[in-house]
Amino acid sequence: MTILCVRFQLPPVLEAALPELLGLLEEFTPVVEALPPDGALADLRGAERYFGRDAVELASVIRVRALARYGVDCAIGAGPGPMLARVALRHARPGVTCAVPEDAVADFLAGKPVAALPGVGAATARTLDEYGLDTLGRVAAAPLSTLQRLIGAKAGRELREKASGIDRGRVVPNAVSRSLVTEQAFGIDELDPGRHRRALLSAAEEIGSRLRAVEKVCRTLTLTVRYADRSSTTRSRTLREPTAHSADLTRAAYGMYEALGLQRARVRALALRAEGLTSAEQASHQLTFDPVDEKVRRVEEVADRVRAKFGPRAVVPGTLALACAPSRPTAA
């Protein structure tokens, strides 16, 4: 067991701490792959030799340090490869590492549903289930030609290998937090477009705040609308310039929502994802002489300081829009 898949139990107020938690993993190995918003893969082959401990023992040290330094617990899966570590993570819980020994991979996978494999979607799982291939053990025992006929040549071959415990993946070190996502769920399926827009406003302000907290800007914004029948619609928009400005993100979110032309849609949740993240210091910004825009940015700075001191709920969603709205003349 040389690969760890770690999921930190990060509350929203601490999500900006992910880079520091990844730094903790890098104290053991330079081969760390970020899995935003709260996870990572770590290849401990070199660390096992250097420290004279196996991956499960090192996982315990990582957990203790995360708790001691940041007050953050974590769930950890360990396995011979990245795919197996991810599957093991699904059965881990805070305080306990779920490990898959190399000589017990087949037994560990045999009874798992097909959807337990990373990358296997609901449609593929349904197709296989219709033919009685509902567990990884049955998939591994099925003829390769059958799988290829059902889901395609390449996909069938890869699925059979994974179901048999053959893990060809590797941990690829990458930049932290290439995307940020937030979801606004409704208590009941929501028909009111006004409530949809207020949820989008809240999501855009949250994304903007989180981007500014980690000094990032995003190039692309993606909106996902989840409906009562569990279907969904996704739209993406490339922004005019990379930004972490909540007003720009809100306008883009509203534009995508309006373009969908929803008519009496029963919406269960709305999600926004900021993608193409880059350093704010390296991003260019088109200068403007609009006093309203400058006022909004100053109010954002104040709101960010308030959130940092008192928590994410210290600023009510929509406050920025109200604070920067033009005042109406009062009657004499």
Side-chain angles (χ1 to χ4, degrees):
M1 294 168 293
T2 58
I3 308 297
L4 296 185
C5 187
V6 184
R7 177 178 295 128
F8 297 103
Q9 307 297 305
L10 282 173
V13 69
L14 291 179
E15 284 186 359
L18 182 60
E20 296 179 59
L21 291 165
L22 295 180
L24 185 156
L25 295 177
E26 289 171 350
E27 294 176 6
F28 296 86
T29 173
V31 189
V32 176
E33 180 178 346
L35 302 175
D38 58 2
L41 287 167
D43 187 334
L44 297 183
R45 282 177 292 184
E48 287 178 316
R49 293 191 296 269
Y50 182 82
F51 292 103
R53 297 173 180 268
D54 63 25
V56 175
E57 292 174 317
L58 292 174
S60 298
V61 177
I62 290 169
R63 180 179 292 109
V64 169
R65 291 189 182 181
L67 281 167
R69 295 181 188 178
Y70 305 102
V72 174
D73 202 349
C74 52
I76 303 177
M83 181 269 291
L84 291 165
R86 288 190 184 209
V87 176
L89 177 65
R90 298 190 178 193
H91 301 274
R93 62 183 189 275
V96 178
T97 299
C98 179
V100 185
E102 194 164 1
D103 58 358
V105 169
D107 293 337
F108 175 78
L109 292 177
K112 300 287 186 299
V114 177
L117 285 181
V120 176
T124 300
R126 282 196 301 269
T127 299
L128 294 170
D129 187 61
E130 290 174 358
Y131 288 86
L133 302 174
D134 56 346
T135 66
L136 294 177
R138 291 177 177 176
V139 170
L144 176 59
S145 59
T146 300
L147 295 175
Q148 291 180 323
R149 186 172 65 254
L150 292 176
I151 62 175
K154 181 179 179 181
R157 183 175 62 256
E158 292 179 350
L159 177 62
R160 193 168 187 270
E161 286 186 351
K162 290 179 179 179
S164 302
I166 300 173
D167 190 350
R168 300 186 187 279
R170 61 191 182 92
V171 180
V172 181
N174 61 359
V176 63
S177 297
R178 294 186 182 274
S179 68
L180 288 176
V181 64
T182 184
E183 181 170 299
Q184 299 287 320
F186 297 105
I188 58 174
D189 299 330
E190 186 57 65
L191 290 166
D192 186 1
R195 292 184 181 273
H196 298 168
R197 290 175 65 88
R198 285 195 289 275
L200 285 176
L201 173 62
S202 178
E205 289 192 0
E206 180 182 338
I207 286 286
S209 175
R210 290 168 58 187
L211 285 170
R212 296 189 294 273
V214 295
E215 299 182 350
K216 300 283 187 180
V217 293
C218 73
R219 184 63 181 171
T220 304
L221 192 66
T222 298
L223 167 66
T224 300
V225 183
R226 307 189 195 283
Y227 305 105
D229 62 358
R230 298 189 179 182
S231 63
S232 64
T233 303
T234 300
R235 294 289 184 272
S236 295
R237 177 166 296 185
T238 300
L239 306 173
R240 290 183 300 175
E241 62 181 26
T243 185
H245 187 22
S246 294
D248 293 340
L249 298 173
T250 301
R251 281 192 291 270
Y254 282 172
M256 288 185 287
Y257 173 81
E258 297 296 340
L260 291 175
L262 301 180
Q263 299 291 330
R264 301 284 296 171
R266 301 176 66 86
V267 175
R268 181 159 295 177
L270 295 162
L272 282 182
R273 179 183 294 275
E275 300 174 303
L277 272 55
T278 56
S279 171
E281 293 182 355
Q282 300 175 359
S284 59
H285 169 57
Q286 180 67 42
L287 295 177
T288 176
F289 295 101
D290 183 358
V292 174
D293 182 74
E294 293 302 319
K295 183 179 179 182
V296 171
R297 293 178 186 273
R298 288 198 299 271
V299 173
E300 275 184 349
E301 293 176 2
V302 174
D304 288 343
R305 290 198 293 269
V306 172
R307 289 190 184 99
K309 185 173 182 179
F310 298 105
R313 298 185 182 277
V315 179
V316 178
T319 300
L320 299 183
L322 291 173
C324 300
S327 59
R328 296 180 179 178
T330 57

